Amino acid sequence: MFLYIMRHADAGSGRDDAARALAATGRDEAKLMGGWLAKMGIAPTVVSSPYIRAMETAVLVAETLGGLDVTQDDRLASGMRPEDGAALVHEYGGGNGLLLVGHVPDVGELASHLLGAREPCVAMGKAAVACIQLERSGFGGGVLRWHLNPQLYY
């Protein structure tokens, strides 16, 4: 199975961290990444953190991928542990793959965990996507196939 781990796109500031919405640049980043994924023929199950900026990122990517549904899961909120991310893979994974949209440092720690690293080794810039081919959903169960960052475009 292919797992796509994505950090939310660029967000504005605000006092309530969970309510921060995407900035205009973040909307552009999400659409750009969705376009890249669409060119690769990717149509995964999409699951997002409940935070506004993550949901907006997930929805924009899902729309670009042909109007896919987005499932919100509280376990992807800021502070997710790698073990919780692995449980999400087990629960939602399969079929055409899985796209998880979350926050740093959580998404980088999940990718590192799945790659078998004891310390974080995957840097996730805003709207970056890491593709991991999974043999199993636990520690060391995957291989990094590629990592895309929208800042490469700008």
Side-chain angles (χ1 to χ4, degrees), residues 1-4 44 94-99 131-134 143 145-146:
M1 183 195 87
F2 286 96
L3 172 65
Y4 308 94
N96 293 325
L98 174 63
L99 171 63
C131 173
I132 299 175
Q133 185 174 5
L134 290 175
V143 174
R145 292 297 176 200
W146 50 260

Side-chain angles (χ1 to χ4, degrees), residues 1 3 47-49 72-77 80-94 98 100-101 110 137:
M1 183 195 87
L3 172 65
V47 183
S48 174
S49 158
Q72 178 178 302
D73 195 300
D74 291 345
R75 292 173 286 183
L76 279 164
M80 177 189 72
R81 298 174 310 131
E83 297 79 12
D84 295 332
L88 290 168
V89 171
H90 182 73
E91 184 174 335
Y92 293 106
L98 174 63
L100 298 178
V101 181
L110 173 59
S137 63

Side-chain angles (χ1 to χ4, degrees), residues 4-69:
Y4 308 94
I5 300 174
M6 183 176 194
R7 178 184 177 187
H8 66 79
D10 187 37
S13 60
R15 291 187 187 267
D16 182 357
D17 188 46
R20 290 176 36 220
L22 289 181
T25 55
R27 296 183 68 76
D28 291 342
E29 290 169 344
K31 290 175 188 175
L32 175 67
M33 296 307 289
W36 282 355
L37 295 174
K39 285 179 184 176
M40 290 183 227
I42 295 168
T45 299
V46 181
V47 183
S48 174
S49 158
Y51 287 23
I52 299 300
R53 62 192 179 275
M55 278 299 294
E56 288 179 337
T57 300
V59 166
L60 287 168
V61 169
E63 287 173 357
T64 307
L65 292 173
L68 302 175
D69 292 330

